[in-house]
Amino acid sequence: MNGHAHAGRPTLSIRRTLTFQADAARILDAWCDPAVQRRIVEGAAEPAGRGEDPDLWRIRTPLGPSPRVWLRQDARTGNCVRHHAEGDGGFLLSSELCALPARGRPGTEVTLEVAFRIEGFLTGLLDRQADPAPLLLAGQALRRLREWVEAGQILPTTHDPTTASDRVR
C-alpha cells in the first residue's frame, strides 16, 4: 500500500505476516543476527563495510548505481524489533518485526512492516525497474527467516532442477 509523500517520511509501506513454528525469542534473535541478515537479504543487498562498519550495506539495483545504506537497530522491546536505514540518494527505510503467539493455532505469528522513501535518480529507477521488488522482498525476507529459524538453513533461491531433487528439507 502506498503512503503519502512527506519530506523526510517514507512513501511506501509494506506489511507481510507468516506463521512460524518457533518461539518469539528465537525468531527475534535470528532477525537481529548479522550472519542471518546477510542470508535473508542475499540478492537484494550485501554487506559493504568489510569489517570496519558492519552497519554499512550496498543495495543491488538492476541498472545504475548501487546505493550505500547504513542499517541500525533502533530498539528491541518485548516481542518487536525496529531497524532504521539511511543512505545514498535520499534512501530512508524503517522496519518493525513483531512475533506474537498465533491466535487459534500453534506457532508464532510474525509480522514485518517496512516503510521506505527514495528520492532523485533512484526513485525513477526503482519505479521502472523494480516496481514489484519491494513487495516481493518483504515476503521473501520472512520466508527466508522462517527457513532459518525452523530448519537452520536458508534454501538457495535458484530454481535449478538438477539440485532440487538433492535438497533435504
Side-chain angles (χ1 to χ4, degrees):
M1 79 179 95
N2 286 325
H4 302 292
H6 298 289
R9 300 179 83 193
T11 58
L12 180 67
S13 293
I14 301 163
R15 182 183 178 138
R16 294 287 179 262
T17 302
L18 282 178
T19 301
F20 287 49
Q21 297 305 312
D23 65 80
R26 184 168 178 209
I27 295 164
L28 297 175
D29 287 347
W31 182 252
C32 295
D33 184 321
V36 176
Q37 286 176 354
R38 281 193 294 278
R39 297 292 310 275
I40 290 171
V41 300
E42 188 174 295
E46 59 192 20
R50 310 241 193 274
E52 66 270 3
D53 190 352
D55 296 335
L56 181 61
W57 293 76
R58 186 165 302 280
I59 305 294
R60 292 186 181 170
T61 57
L63 300 171
S66 295
R68 293 176 309 156
V69 174
W70 286 265
L71 175 68
R72 297 200 183 358
Q73 182 175 315
D74 283 343
R76 180 173 174 174
T77 56
N79 291 328
C80 294
V81 176
R82 286 192 312 270
H83 282 88
H84 176 79
E86 293 183 43
D88 299 341
F91 184 95
L92 175 66
L93 177 138
S94 63
S95 71
E96 181 175 61
L97 183 98
C98 293
L100 300 168
R103 287 179 265 167
R105 63 186 185 280
T108 303
E109 189 170 281
V110 179
T111 301
L112 174 62
E113 290 191 54
V114 179
F116 68 95
R117 171 181 62 91
I118 304 170
E119 297 177 342
F121 173 76
L122 288 174
T123 302
L125 177 66
L126 289 176
D127 284 346
R128 287 188 307 275
Q129 301 295 326
D131 184 48
L135 297 170
L136 295 174
L137 290 174
Q140 179 180 355
L142 273 183
R143 285 187 301 278
R144 286 180 169 184
L145 177 63
R146 182 172 61 187
E147 288 172 357
W148 182 262
V149 170
E150 291 180 357
Q153 66 178 358
I154 296 174
L155 299 175
T157 57
T158 60
H159 299 288
D160 181 358
T162 60
T163 60
S165 63
D166 296 334
R167 283 191 205 131
V168 177
R169 283 193 168 224

